[in-house]
Amino acid sequence: EERLEELEKSLAALTARLRTCAERLTAARKDAASALASALTEHLKDLHMEKTRFHVELRSGEDVGFRPDGWDEAEFLISPNPGEPLRGLAKIASGGELSRIMLALKSIFASVDRVPVLIFDEVDTGVSGRAAQAIAEKMARLAADVQVFAISHLPQVACMADEHYTIVKNVREERTFTEVYPLSGA
């Protein structure tokens, strides 16, 4: 009984310490979430989504419970059209909106993470016209600082590249092979 009482006191003390650490982490995450929302909103303006509102909702505390990485759950909320409420990004964003949001996020993270290579696999899906041109220009600006690989079907994006390759799938002897060839000249 004495050992059990001792362990319960120790557990209470450690739980209090864990709660303090989790609360500090949550406060830091709230600051980061606010900064991310502001930065993303600015990048989206460049990508012809100037009326979009973006918010990171953090749920914390006992409802979430303690985890190895804190006690927070985050959800990205978006309102791409004026007058509409914020809703879960995963539930309401179109393909074109998701493409531009991903490009904006990668642009933000590239300046923080300092990754030397960014890969965009059809990040321009679902867009055309001025939005496609805006995506191409943003990717070209990124390419000034990091190496960018982009898989695209849009001429606005492709024309910004320094080098071009074609990807071809072939079936030989009942196996599929993917081959990449550099393009040159016309």
Side-chain angles (χ1 to χ4, degrees), residues 102-121 123 138-151:
M102 181 56 66
L103 175 57
L105 285 170
K106 282 194 173 198
S107 298
I108 293 165
F109 296 149
S111 66
V112 177
D113 288 345
R114 288 289 165 214
V115 293
V117 178
L118 291 176
I119 300 172
F120 295 101
D121 186 358
V123 73
K138 185 165 277 294
M139 289 174 67
R141 284 192 300 273
L142 275 173
D145 298 321
V146 298
Q147 185 175 18
V148 174
F149 286 89
I151 297 169

Side-chain angles (χ1 to χ4, degrees), residues 24-162:
R24 284 197 343 248
L25 183 56
T26 295
R29 285 179 172 156
K30 284 181 180 177
D31 291 343
S34 178
L36 176 63
S38 294
L40 188 72
T41 300
E42 287 304 309
H43 279 274
L44 290 176
K45 287 178 185 174
D46 296 342
L47 296 168
H48 294 274
M49 293 180 70
E50 49 278 317
K51 306 244 189 245
T52 300
R53 291 184 303 131
F54 181 84
H55 176 72
V56 180
E57 181 177 290
L58 281 179
R59 289 178 294 281
S60 308
E62 303 298 332
D63 294 339
V64 175
F66 293 114
R67 299 176 181 172
D69 60 353
W71 66 351
D72 302 308
E73 285 182 340
E75 182 179 16
F76 289 172
L77 303 176
I78 187 170
S79 172
N81 301 306
E84 293 297 315
L86 290 165
R87 292 192 178 111
L89 174 66
K91 295 174 187 163
I92 68 157
S94 70
E97 290 163 345
L98 283 174
S99 296
R100 289 180 275 174
I101 290 166
M102 181 56 66
L103 175 57
L105 285 170
K106 282 194 173 198
S107 298
I108 293 165
F109 296 149
S111 66
V112 177
D113 288 345
R114 288 289 165 214
V115 293
V117 178
L118 291 176
I119 300 172
F120 295 101
D121 186 358
E122 299 188 30
V123 73
D124 49 19
T125 298
V127 297
S128 60
R130 289 184 8 196
Q133 186 63 37
I135 287 173
E137 291 168 3
K138 185 165 277 294
M139 289 174 67
R141 284 192 300 273
L142 275 173
D145 298 321
V146 298
Q147 185 175 18
V148 174
F149 286 89
I151 297 169
S152 176
H153 297 284
L154 295 179
Q156 297 96 318
V157 173
C159 75
M160 296 289 199
D162 294 326

